[in-house]
Amino acid sequence: MSATAPRTPSWARPVPDAGGAGRVLLAAFGAAAVVDLASLLAGWHLGHVLAKPVLMPLLVAHVLTRGAPRLLVAALLFGWGGDLALLFDADAAFLVGMGSFAAGHVCYLVLFGRGRTSPALGGAYALALVGTVALLWGDLPADLRVPVAGYSLLLTTMALRSSALGRAAGLGGALFLLSDTLIATGVAEWPQLPRPDFWIMATYLAAQYLLAVGALTSGRAYRGMVIQD
């Protein structure tokens, strides 16, 4: 290929069909998600402990059958690391989990590239970030305030940039932000919805799935875009 010949970005190429194995793995992910969410609703802790660790590996296995880019696989695996850490109820585990999720957000940001996003959406996310951090600040443990604020900035940036890949990814980014905001309000000991862990996991699982779908199918929205070697 010549130095001036255009080529299609790897994330914008046609996505291979998942095939039988891919569909089985996606169904297994869905079944594990149902078991996990039902366990949370029923207050069955053992069911959650057994189901949660297999969720992201099943989603990773599915996206691999569809030719997933390495950054998507890495983002989901870092999410898996965060999932495992948050099974433990300790401040150190919370920080490890937050760090693992942060690494996943960096992978997503690199994967999303530099596609355009709406200035109005950016303004809305900026207001949400400043308002949420300001409201939570005084109620967070002192040693978690700065890490949570920094993580919130990274997460909000990821949520905004996810919209560059289309509606599915954009909705996934927004749900990821909502899920982690629910976690932060719990850490700040704000009043919670009934079964808060259910809502946190439901929005999180939908977020990861939609981000994966958006990354895999973004070529349909951006098939006319090219980059130079």
Side-chain angles (χ1 to χ4, degrees):
M1 182 178 292
S2 70
T4 59
R7 67 178 176 86
T8 305
S10 61
W11 48 263
R13 294 170 187 161
V15 179
D17 181 75
R23 287 189 286 271
V24 169
L25 288 165
L26 183 58
F29 168 74
V34 169
V35 170
D36 187 52
L37 295 175
S39 298
L40 291 171
L41 280 176
W44 184 35
H45 182 66
L46 178 60
H48 175 60
V49 170
L50 293 175
K52 187 178 184 182
V54 305
L55 288 164
M56 288 305 107
L58 287 171
L59 186 55
V60 166
H62 166 70
V63 300
L64 284 173
T65 67
R66 300 189 62 191
R70 284 175 289 183
L71 283 169
L72 173 59
V73 173
L76 294 173
L77 288 176
F78 278 122
W80 181 45
D83 292 345
L84 296 179
L86 294 185
L87 285 172
F88 301 92
D89 187 16
D91 286 349
F94 178 78
L95 288 172
V96 169
M98 187 164 58
S100 190
F101 284 122
H105 297 327
V106 172
C107 292
Y108 275 132
L109 283 169
V110 177
L111 178 65
F112 297 156
R114 291 180 288 182
R116 293 180 180 178
T117 56
S118 164
L121 183 62
Y125 271 127
L127 288 174
L129 171 65
V130 173
T132 301
V133 171
L135 290 171
L136 287 170
W137 186 266
D139 295 327
L140 290 170
D143 59 335
L144 292 180
R145 289 171 182 168
V146 172
V148 167
Y151 176 82
S152 298
L153 175 60
L154 177 61
L155 172 59
T156 304
T157 304
M158 186 281 291
L160 171 62
R161 295 297 308 145
S162 66
S163 64
L165 265 64
R167 292 181 181 178
L171 178 58
L175 287 174
F176 213 133
L177 179 60
L178 174 59
S179 180
D180 280 7
T181 300
L182 292 174
I183 293 176
T185 60
V187 173
E189 298 184 350
W190 283 16
Q192 299 290 295
L193 294 168
R195 300 293 184 189
D197 288 348
F198 169 83
W199 298 109
I200 289 168
M201 280 303 296
T203 50
Y204 166 72
L205 291 175
Q208 291 283 42
Y209 174 73
L210 288 169
L211 286 167
V213 168
L216 290 171
T217 61
S218 58
R220 298 173 186 172
Y222 293 94
R223 60 184 177 271
M225 294 181 64
V226 295
I227 59 176
Q228 301 295 321
D229 276 343

